[in-house]
Structure formats: structure tokens, C-alpha cells
Amino acid sequence: MLQEFADLLVYQWLGLVPGTMLGEALNFFVYDSIKIFLMLTIIIFGVSILRSYFPAERTKKILSHKREFYGNIVAALLGIVTPFCSCSAVPVFIGFIESGVPLGITFSFLISSPMVNEVAIVMLWGLLGWKITAIYILSGVTIAIIAGYLIGKFKLEHLVEDYVYQMKVGDTEIVEQSFADRLQYARDYTKEILRKVWLYVIIAIGIGGFIHGYAPEEFLTQYAGKDNIWAVPMAVLIGVPLYSNAAGVIPIVTALIQKGMSLGTALAFMMAVTALSFPEMIILRNVLKPKLIAIFIAILTVSIVFTGYLFNIII
């Protein structure tokens, strides 16, 4: 029905011709804009109700009693339903360490949370289907578990800034909510997220529409296809200095895939933008010594590049 409406608007009401660059670009923009905003509204509302059962204080208490590996798994999964932005990385990190959460488990949460969240899931599902969404979730959670586990095994606590261990944030009482309270929270949170991401979504879908209509398919197939062995590491290098959330990058990546970029290369680019961004590393420098940041970047980079190559081989 949405596609029929987009066709009606673009090809009949606006009079554009199907198959032309402008017609295809505008049709992509109209159809995907409506679809993504509908899915964002519905799924963020549902995830918000689920999240209301895992406030930050309860998440800290759950993770502080977990052993390595099992705790890495729980942390990576909790990161999906309790996302945070890069700007809140420092207080989240301090709160976890102060509560006794092991360093490796804290990193599993820090990696999973910005990379795999409800906005990423909604947009991937809406634009690329559930199979690619499932691949992305599985890849992101696996990387978060492995990277956090390795950091925990290396015993790198001495590379955290000393003041972090001296801070006493204290516990906050967990307030029990009625289901009506949770519905109210979900409604308010959904409004807040939509208010934050709508402009990113519009701009990103607009760029994606331009790529969909005008980018030469042969160019991307040649330079970002499976046959170019350097495409994956180049995509990661390009993605690191960028600062964007999933809403800002997924529509662009979708159009690039449709124009010939291989799936593994696209996934590696997305992960680098959302989990390995240079601005986030600057923020984390407030709590981590440079050597630990370098180790974190190295482990994550190798994991993302490996994932990109793996999916370029099997898909």
C-alpha cells in the first residue's frame, strides 16, 4: 500500500516518469520516509516498554554479579534494549566501574549499545529485510562479546584513569512503575527519539535517494564489490572519522548496497561509524588511558574487518 501511494504521488500527481533518475530518486525518498517513520514509531514504543523494566540502576546490579563470558553475553544483550549515545559514554562507564562491573563486561555493553539498538533494527528491517537485520544483530552482539571478553582477559584495569576508581556515585533507588507508568514512559520516549532523529532520517534518506537515482552502478560494483579485497578495510577507515547514529547512516548504506556495494563491506562501514567513531574515542579518553583506547580500537577494528570479509565470502 505504501509503495502504491509513493507511485501515485511521484508518477501521477507529480507527473514524473518511472525509470528516470529523478523519478526513481524521489520514489525511493517518499516510500522509505513513510515506511521508516511508521516502523520507528511502533517499534520504539514497544522497545521502550521493555526498557522500562531495565533502568540503568537495575542494569548495573545485574551486570555487577556476572562472571566473565556469561556476563559479556548478558551485557551485550542488555546493550540492545538500553542504548546510549556517545555523549553519555563517560557517565555510563563510571557508573558501571563504580558498581563493581568487571572492565571486560563494561566494554561489551559499551560496544553493543550504540551499535545494535532499536533504531538500527527498525531501519535495517524496513530497508533491507529481516535476514540482513538478523545478520547485523548477530554480528554486532558477537563482536561485543568477543571484544569485551578479550579486554577482560588482558587484565587492563590499570589502564583506566585512577580517578574513576576513587569516585563514589552511589546507588539510586529503583522506582517500581505501574503498567500505565510504563505506557506513559514509552510514549514520551518515542516522542523524544523521533524529535532527535527525524532530521537525520530525512537527510539520510534524501542522500540515499540521490544515490539510488543517480549513482553509477558500475562504479560501486568495481570499487566496493566483493572482488575488491581492499574494500572492507577502506570502508572501515572511511567510517571511523564520521560521527553519526544508525538513523543517519543506514539509508545511505542501503542505497549503496542496491547500487553494488557488497553486504560485508556495507556492514563493516556501518559498524565503524556507530561503534568506532573518532569523536567517541575522544570522549572515552576522559576515563581511559591512551594505551587502553588503542587496544580497544585494535580489537574492534580487527573484529569488524573480519566480519566484513566473512559476510562477503558467505553471502
Side-chain angles (χ1 to χ4, degrees):
M1 188 173 69
L2 295 180
Q3 186 62 64
E4 292 172 353
F5 174 75
D7 292 344
L8 179 68
L9 175 63
V10 175
Y11 300 133
Q12 295 190 29
W13 293 353
L14 297 179
L16 298 178
V17 178
T20 60
M21 291 182 175
L22 181 59
E24 292 298 315
L26 193 58
N27 189 280
F28 178 95
F29 178 80
V30 172
Y31 172 71
D32 283 314
S33 296
I34 298 172
K35 180 175 64 176
I36 290 301
F37 278 109
L38 279 175
M39 293 185 69
L40 279 174
T41 302
I42 295 170
I43 297 182
I44 290 176
F45 186 83
V47 172
S48 300
I49 294 176
L50 178 62
R51 180 186 298 119
S52 68
Y53 291 93
F54 298 96
E57 199 61 35
R58 179 167 290 155
T59 302
K60 287 192 297 184
K61 289 183 183 297
I62 292 173
L63 296 180
S64 62
H65 300 293
K66 300 302 179 189
R67 295 181 177 178
E68 287 184 344
F69 192 67
Y70 177 65
N72 295 109
I73 296 173
V74 175
L77 294 175
L78 282 173
I80 298 175
V81 295
T82 55
F84 72 96
C85 64
S86 298
C87 57
S88 61
V90 170
V92 167
F93 185 88
I94 292 174
F96 276 28
I97 294 297
E98 190 271 339
S99 299
V101 179
L103 185 63
I105 295 176
T106 299
F107 268 98
S108 287
F109 183 87
L110 285 176
I111 295 168
S112 167
S113 191
M115 187 160 60
V116 187
N117 56 59
E118 77 271 28
V119 175
I121 292 171
V122 168
M123 299 192 71
L124 279 173
W125 192 357
L127 292 170
L128 294 172
W130 69 269
K131 290 183 180 178
I132 293 179
T133 305
I135 289 172
Y136 182 80
I137 294 172
L138 181 63
S139 304
V141 170
T142 302
I143 287 174
I145 293 170
I146 293 174
Y149 181 74
L150 290 176
I151 289 173
K153 280 296 180 186
F154 291 160
K155 304 297 181 187
L156 303 173
E157 282 77 5
H158 62 289
L159 296 179
V160 175
E161 291 292 347
D162 296 336
Y163 80 90
V164 174
Y165 293 106
Q166 297 166 3
M167 292 187 69
K168 295 296 179 185
V169 178
D171 292 334
T172 303
E173 185 179 351
I174 300 173
V175 179
E176 295 298 330
Q177 294 179 303
S178 65
F179 191 69
D181 293 334
R182 300 184 194 282
L183 291 176
Q184 179 67 42
Y185 164 78
R187 190 183 70 177
D188 294 342
Y189 186 78
T190 302
K191 285 182 180 178
E192 180 186 344
I193 291 295
L194 289 176
R195 188 166 53 248
K196 285 182 178 178
V197 305
W198 73 269
L199 186 57
Y200 292 105
V201 174
I202 292 293
I203 293 173
I205 294 177
I207 295 173
F210 178 82
I211 294 171
H212 182 81
Y214 290 91
E217 190 167 333
E218 300 77 13
F219 178 83
L220 282 169
T221 302
Q222 179 180 354
Y223 291 101
K226 287 184 177 181
D227 296 333
N228 185 354
I229 195 172
W230 299 110
V232 172
M234 285 300 298
V236 174
L237 284 177
I238 293 171
V240 169
L242 302 179
Y243 182 63
S244 176
N245 52 30
V249 71
I250 290 176
I252 298 172
V253 169
T254 301
L256 292 173
I257 292 174
Q258 292 171 350
K259 282 295 184 178
M261 177 181 274
S262 61
L263 180 61
T265 304
L267 289 179
F269 176 72
M270 287 170 52
M271 290 175 174
V273 171
T274 55
L276 200 55
S277 69
F278 182 66
E280 184 175 347
M281 297 305 119
I282 294 176
I283 295 172
L284 284 175
R285 175 63 188 90
N286 289 290
V287 290
L288 305 179
K289 295 178 181 176
K291 187 175 180 180
L292 181 50
I293 292 180
I295 294 171
F296 172 58
I297 291 173
I299 293 175
L300 210 50
T301 300
V302 170
S303 301
I304 291 173
V305 170
F306 175 79
T307 301
Y309 279 126
L310 178 64
F311 285 107
N312 275 349
I313 292 171
I314 64 177
I315 296 179

